[in-house]
Amino acid sequence: MKKTLKLSLSLLGNQFLASIGGAMCILFAYFLAGDTITAHVIFLLFAYPFFIYIEYRSAFYHGFHDSNRRNAPDSKSYLFKGALAGFISAIPMIVLIIVYVVFYDNVFVSQSAKLYARVIAMYYNWPMCNIFPNHTLEVLLSSLAGLIVFPMIGYIAGYKNFVISDKIYKALKITPSK
């Protein structure tokens, strides 16, 4: 459990890092396309893959260094460790979604919760809430999928030592230079 909590703190830090990266993409997308839906799509295309990469790599690293990988190779306990760590790291976002839903009639509280959720997950929520302005709850709920699924996939890949680039090199019969 200690390693899962360590991974969840790492994932939470990566979410913060991705939000800072998203904040830096705002000006770039604005200068490229102004305040249009195209700018938000460009923003999403730059910020979200960065988020996916850092979450996946962090979970991959922790899965690769899991002690059960060598001690109990037939154990299936690794399957949901990444998802559990992702869920733990998503608790601030879950709290904001609950506040948004419970206080939906109170405009000040619900809009404040929405604003904080957009800032916390700027890499996804900011452009998606502007692309789909009438579907805020759906966007907030869909942001939880990335917080849980990508760490789970990364942890499983790390545990099984499944490196995607190695499979691509093997399929294309390319020998990587050292």
Side-chain angles (χ1 to χ4, degrees):
M1 188 65 179
K2 181 180 172 184
K3 291 183 180 183
T4 304
L5 290 175
K6 185 178 177 182
L7 174 58
S8 65
L9 286 175
S10 175
L11 295 173
L12 187 62
N14 288 342
Q15 292 169 27
F16 179 71
L17 181 66
S19 292
I20 291 172
M24 289 189 281
C25 285
I26 289 175
L27 289 176
F28 173 71
Y30 180 76
F31 287 135
L32 225 60
D35 191 22
T36 63
I37 290 180
T38 306
H40 296 293
V41 171
I42 290 170
F43 176 88
L44 189 64
L45 290 176
F46 278 102
Y48 202 60
F50 174 69
F51 164 74
I52 291 170
Y53 175 74
I54 62 176
E55 292 279 295
Y56 178 86
R57 288 301 298 170
S58 179
F60 184 93
Y61 175 81
H62 282 83
F64 184 77
H65 292 290
D66 190 347
S67 60
N68 286 339
R69 183 171 176 251
R70 290 171 290 287
N71 299 338
D74 296 330
S75 173
K76 299 292 183 194
S77 66
Y78 69 92
L79 288 174
F80 297 106
K81 282 186 182 178
L84 177 63
F87 180 78
I88 292 170
S89 72
I91 288 176
M93 187 61 129
I94 293 169
V95 168
L96 287 172
I97 292 171
I98 291 171
V99 167
Y100 178 78
V101 170
V102 170
F103 294 103
Y104 186 75
D105 293 333
N106 186 340
V107 176
F108 178 74
V109 175
S110 68
Q111 293 303 315
S112 297
K114 180 175 96 171
L115 178 66
Y116 288 127
R118 288 174 74 175
V119 169
I120 285 176
M122 183 174 283
Y123 49 86
Y124 181 78
N125 286 343
W126 195 273
M128 291 299 285
C129 282
N130 290 327
I131 293 171
F132 301 109
N134 297 330
H135 302 283
T136 302
L137 182 59
E138 290 85 356
V139 169
L140 295 176
L141 289 173
S142 68
S143 68
L144 293 176
L147 295 173
I148 297 169
V149 171
F150 296 119
M152 182 179 73
I153 293 170
Y155 196 89
I156 292 170
Y159 192 89
K160 291 294 188 179
N161 196 18
F162 179 79
V163 181
I164 296 171
S165 61
D166 289 348
K167 304 302 179 193
I168 293 171
Y169 288 151
K170 193 176 197 178
L172 296 176
K173 297 179 182 165
I174 299 172
T175 307
S177 62
K178 303 256 177 188

